[in-house]
Amino acid sequence: MKHTRIRGPLAAAAVLALGISLAGAAVTGGDPAGGTGTDVSGQDGSAPPTGRFTKRVVATGLDNPYEIVRAPDGALWATEKSGKKVTRVDPKSGAKTTLLSLPKAVHSQGGQDGVLGLALEERPKGAGLYAYVAYSHDIDPTPVVQARTKIERYTYDADAQRLEDPKTVIAGMPSGNDHQSARLRLGPDGKLYYTIGDQGTNQFGNFCRHNYAQRLPTAEEVRTRDWIAYQGKTLRLNTDGSVPSENPVLDGVRSHVYTYGHRNAQGLAFGPDGTLYQNDQGPKTDDEINILRKGANYGWPNVAGYRDDKAYVYGNWSASWPTPCDELTFSDFEIPETVPVQQETDFTQPFVPPVRTFGTVDTGYNFKDPKCAEGELWAVCWPTIAPSSFEHYGSSRKAGEPGPGIPGWSDSLVMTTLKDGTVYRVDFAENGQDLRGVVKLFSEQNRFRDAEFSADGKSIFVATDVAGIVRDARGAPASGPLENPGSIIEYRWQP
């Protein structure tokens, strides 16, 4: 791996996570309605052009809902990240029922850990429902918290409206207070798919931790169930937690790893033909939409977005020498000479580029926008949008479900965002591979965390965070509280 050192004027660089974005120039790809595909939005970015959405607040008082899933009876099931439970919500009345409490779950104040991913499996011949739940927990009996992530399978008792009889699928996976990702899906092949982020390494309070997004597990680690290398990966598991025999062999080892080189992939969705879509949050630049290929490398932290050397270099704080990292002070905007740095084009290994990026800017872009100077809320003004989920319209609606749904949406995904406060429609061609365009559906002073569709396909249900900052129409930090904190909102399409 080739490293260079930043000296002189280049030392004043804008840095986030494992990279830096070099200071001062024009935005070339920051507009979500732009990009390489054909934009299917109207002049003002609204959609669909033949109808409108009406808004209704379904339920409030949820404690950071993270994943919402439609159950076979039409009810919405939601994990509550900081509430440490799974809640059933009646989409008509908004009535809430606690299906599962997990007081042993770990949630750090303001952190991204807690009760996270959720997937449902209908058992054969009407035998009921399984729920797979991913959550952080403490493996240390002392007061010192050593958090790990586990996935458990629960059986649903429909009469008692409770999840019971937990069975461990996998335990001991990485956990921490940042970049958990934690999207859990049951694939059309009957396997579980799960995203694990890079744990926020090399930034903020974790800036001295090594990033393992490119590190692959060894045979000994797989044998001893040491999952440290699962950071920055998409996993594929049998429902009993074992390694599927068809999983890729990477560096001579078959493990749960399906893809690698990810930062914080909070969006994961299957299309009707089995295509697996993902979105991944970039550092200061280059949020990504990816199509996942078995065994593929997606580049992080060596590459953010495309391998174009635009406004990003990989600055590896954890490898600082001769001054050790723990003697440094982390900065978003300056990188010490002791920290090794490489350009994106220094990374010569094969990797799969994204099909679309958001917030790609030229080298020299000013990441200290004056609109965000008060309180130094610089990240709000960075051109990224912070995608937080993916839901495919065509595969969400099963055959035989009532109504025609929304015309023209069968090849589209809905993508929620956090600091951008916007829900987007991401439209693909019929082949499921070529991205046609991105449409802004609605923007509010809310941090949108996840989405689900109604059975008739005419409603989008969206979960919101309890707190956090969003930007206003000027791109500045919005003033005042969030509009609908800790809620599930229905946006109903009216033709």
Side-chain angles (χ1 to χ4, degrees), residues 178-194:
D178 202 4
H179 289 188
Q180 294 307 292
S181 298
R183 286 302 175 199
L184 182 60
R185 295 287 182 263
L186 183 70
D189 56 1
K191 310 299 183 184
L192 290 171
Y193 291 76
Y194 186 66

Side-chain angles (χ1 to χ4, degrees), residues 234-431:
T234 307
L235 307 182
R236 180 176 183 262
L237 310 90
N238 290 320
T239 54
D240 64 0
S242 60
V243 175
S245 60
E246 323 83 41
N247 271 17
V249 176
L250 300 170
D251 201 18
V253 177
R254 179 178 283 112
S255 68
H256 296 105
V257 175
Y258 188 70
T259 63
Y260 63 107
H262 304 294
R263 184 173 183 268
N264 192 20
Q266 293 189 10
L268 192 68
F270 282 95
D273 63 354
T275 299
L276 184 53
Y277 303 92
Q278 177 216 67
N279 57 52
D280 197 358
Q281 295 178 6
K284 282 185 174 67
T285 66
D286 295 294
D287 294 326
E288 300 176 353
I289 293 176
N290 294 307
I291 295 178
L292 298 189
R293 318 286 188 196
K294 174 182 175 180
N297 181 358
Y298 288 79
W300 180 258
N302 304 83
V303 178
Y306 306 108
R307 188 159 45 194
D308 54 14
D309 287 339
K310 284 186 177 181
Y312 173 82
V313 299
Y314 171 24
N316 187 356
W317 287 75
S318 65
S320 175
W321 183 259
T323 305
C325 183
D326 60 8
E327 295 181 12
L328 301 177
T329 299
F330 179 74
S331 168
D332 279 324
F333 302 102
E334 292 185 1
I335 192 164
E337 294 182 3
T338 61
V339 173
V341 171
Q342 70 175 42
Q343 301 285 337
E344 290 178 309
T345 51
D346 293 334
F347 181 68
T348 58
Q349 297 180 29
F351 86 106
V352 178
V355 298
R356 174 64 187 268
T357 62
F358 302 89
T360 299
V361 297
D362 282 333
T363 298
Y365 182 83
N366 180 17
F367 288 96
K368 283 191 172 182
D369 191 316
K371 294 193 298 289
C372 286
E374 185 176 353
E376 297 188 345
L377 300 174
W378 308 116
V380 179
C381 287
W382 296 340
T384 48
I385 60 176
S388 53
S389 73
F390 244 175
E391 194 70 33
H392 198 290
Y393 187 82
S395 55
S396 176
R397 301 190 65 235
K398 297 179 181 178
E401 289 181 336
I406 304 176
W409 275 42
S410 59
D411 300 306
S412 297
L413 297 97
V414 161
M415 180 174 73
T416 57
T417 63
L418 299 174
K419 70 173 183 179
D420 193 49
T422 300
V423 177
Y424 293 94
R425 171 189 169 197
V426 178
D427 189 49
F428 278 83
E430 288 185 12
N431 64 10

Side-chain angles (χ1 to χ4, degrees), residues 2 26 55 69 89 111 136 140 176 219 228-229 238 250 267 304 341 400 411 435 463:
K2 178 182 177 182
K55 176 181 176 179
V69 178
V89 178
S136 311
D140 191 334
I228 187 171
N238 290 320
L250 300 170
V341 171
D411 300 306
L435 193 148

